[in-house]
Amino acid sequence: MKKIMVTGALGQIGSELITKLRSEYGTENVLATDIRHTDVATEGPFELLDVTDAKNMHALAKDFGADTMMHMAALLSAKAEDEPLFAWNLNMGGLMNALEVSRELDMQFFTPSSIGAFGPSTPKKDTPQDTLQRPTTMYGVNKVAGELLCDYYFHKFGMDTRGVRFPGLISYVSKPGGGTTDYAVDIYYKALEEGKYTSYIAEGTRMDMMYMPDALQAIVDLMEADPTKLIHRNAFNVTAMSFEPSEIAASIKKQIPTFEMAYDVDPVRQAIADSWPDSIDATAAVNEWGFKANYDLDKMTVDMLAKLKTKLNV
Ligand code: AKB
C-alpha cells in the first residue's frame, strides 16, 4: 500500500484529493499538509507545513514513511500575476524542495502543471502534447520550468516523476482562489444564490475545463499507470470539455430557465485567458495510460447544481 504525503492539502484540488486518496489507500496512509489548519484536516493524519521549509518537509516525509509525494501547493495564475516575485518563490521554491525531498527519500512524485504552461504562440486549437511553450504569465513560466525540472529529475536521477496539465477545474466542494478559470465555478454559486452572473471573461473566450471527480481519477490513474507505457511524463494534456461563457450559461439555463448573464471584463484575467489555448488534445494521455473523462458540460451542470443546492441550502 502506498504511503502518500500531500502538500497544499487544503487547496482547491488538495482538499478533495485527500478524501479520494484516503478512500483508495486508507486514511492512515495519507498525510495531509498545509500552511494552515482547519477542522477538515483533523479527519486523518495532518501536519502544518510551509513548503518553502525544506527541512520540515524532509522530516515530515521521513517520519511518516512516505513513498509518494503529491505536491499541490501553488499560487494560481491571476494571483501570481498580482505578486510575481512571491509566486516565483512559492511555486518554484516549493517545487524544488518537494523534488529534493522526494529524491533523498526515493519517493514517487506527482505535481500538476496547467494549460497555463502554453502561451500566445502555441497552436490554439487541439493544442498538441508536444508543442511551442512560451507563456507570457509568471504562472506559465513557473509551470513550464516545473515540467522541465520534473523531466530533469526523471532523466538525471531516475525519479518516478509524473504530471498532468490540468484545465480549469470545477467543483462544489472547495472554491478556487486567484485563478483565471474561476468564473466557471462562481457562475454556479451565483446562479443559485442570485439567479444571475456577471462574467469577468469575455463572450467567445474558450478554455478547457474538467469536473473535479475526473481530475482526481486522472491523478490516481496516472500514478498507478505502468511506467513502461509512459512515453511522456511531465506533463500530460488532459481535458474534458472546452466552452466559452455563453455556453456554460446556456447549460445552466436548461436547469434554471430564468438565469441571466452579463459581462464586465477584467482586463488582467482576460489577457491571461487570451494567451491560453481554446482546446487541448489529450490523445497522449488516452494512449499511454487510459485517461478518460466521464463528465461533459451538461452532465457536470446537473451534478454541480444539485450538490450546491444541498450545500447552500437554497
Ligand atoms: C487558473 O486559472 O489559474 C487555474 C489553471 C487553469 O491552472 N485554474
Side-chain angles (χ1 to χ4, degrees):
M1 191 58 84
K2 282 183 189 295
K3 293 274 280 181
I4 307 170
M5 171 164 165
V6 180
T7 69
L10 300 181
Q12 191 209 6
I13 307 177
S15 52
E16 288 182 68
L17 181 61
I18 288 295
T19 311
K20 169 88 177 168
L21 294 174
R22 285 183 174 159
S23 78
E24 299 267 340
Y25 301 105
T27 301
E28 293 312 310
N29 292 320
V30 180
L31 172 65
T33 69
D34 203 287
I35 198 162
R36 65 202 164 92
H37 188 275
T38 69
D39 289 349
V40 181
T42 57
E43 286 160 15
F46 178 86
E47 297 287 348
L48 282 173
L49 172 66
D50 173 349
V51 292
T52 60
D53 181 350
K55 225 169 137 196
N56 193 26
M57 191 188 281
H58 184 109
L60 292 177
K62 193 164 179 213
D63 288 354
F64 188 66
D67 59 21
T68 305
M69 174 76 80
M70 296 198 180
H71 178 59
M72 313 306 289
L75 227 55
L76 292 183
S77 55
K79 183 93 178 108
E81 238 16 53
D82 231 27
E83 295 187 78
L85 183 61
F86 177 52
W88 176 266
N89 289 336
L90 178 70
N91 291 354
M92 299 316 299
L95 177 63
M96 273 311 285
N97 289 341
L99 280 167
E100 269 300 286
V101 167
S102 302
R103 182 185 66 77
E104 286 156 3
L105 299 176
D106 198 18
M107 295 159 78
Q108 194 192 23
F109 188 86
F110 175 86
T111 198
S113 184
S114 157
I115 52 170
F118 298 119
S121 53
T122 302
K124 259 199 146 7
K125 290 194 195 333
D126 293 327
T127 304
Q129 175 66 41
D130 301 308
T131 187
L132 259 176
Q133 289 183 264
R134 304 287 295 177
T136 46
T137 62
M138 176 49 89
Y139 182 67
V141 170
N142 296 166
K143 289 301 184 190
V144 174
E147 290 183 12
L148 293 173
L149 268 174
C150 290
D151 273 347
Y152 178 80
Y153 272 70
F154 169 64
H155 290 298
K156 174 93 178 167
F157 304 115
M159 231 174 90
D160 187 0
T161 58
R162 305 182 186 197
V164 295
R165 293 182 186 128
F166 273 135
L169 298 182
I170 297 166
S171 156
Y172 59 89
V173 178
S174 296
K175 279 193 171 182
T180 302
T181 58
D182 298 7
Y183 91 90
V185 178
D186 299 341
I187 193 169
Y188 288 107
Y189 280 82
K190 286 283 191 300
L192 287 170
E193 287 168 343
E194 296 172 22
K196 57 183 190 218
Y197 180 66
T198 302
S199 172
Y200 60 78
I201 293 293
E203 193 168 2
T205 310
R206 307 190 76 81
M207 285 183 277
D208 283 281
M209 303 278 175
M210 190 185 284
Y211 200 32
M212 190 61 87
D214 283 334
L216 301 178
Q217 194 58 51
I219 295 175
V220 170
D221 288 348
L222 174 58
M223 292 303 271
E224 293 289 349
D226 176 353
T228 63
K229 303 258 160 60
L230 300 182
I231 300 162
H232 299 87
R233 282 184 165 264
N234 306 288
F236 286 92
N237 284 2
V238 289
T239 183
M241 60 195 95
S242 160
F243 57 74
E244 53 113 340
S246 72
E247 290 170 344
I248 187 171
S251 180
I252 292 172
K253 248 179 177 314
K254 286 184 199 164
Q255 308 304 319
I256 308 174
T258 53
F259 176 69
E260 298 285 345
M261 185 145 91
Y263 294 88
D264 181 11
V265 174
D266 167 15
V268 174
R269 284 179 287 186
Q270 184 61 39
I272 297 174
D274 285 339
S275 77
W276 290 355
D278 287 356
S279 61
I280 61 172
D281 173 27
T283 307
V286 173
N287 291 344
E288 292 176 41
W289 50 277
F291 165 71
K292 184 174 174 314
N294 288 309
Y295 287 86
D296 63 14
L297 176 55
D298 283 341
K299 190 172 170 195
M300 174 178 77
T301 296
V302 169
D303 199 60
M304 266 299 274
L305 291 174
K307 300 281 175 31
L308 272 182
K309 259 185 201 161
T310 312
K311 179 177 171 181
L312 302 173
N313 203 12
V314 287

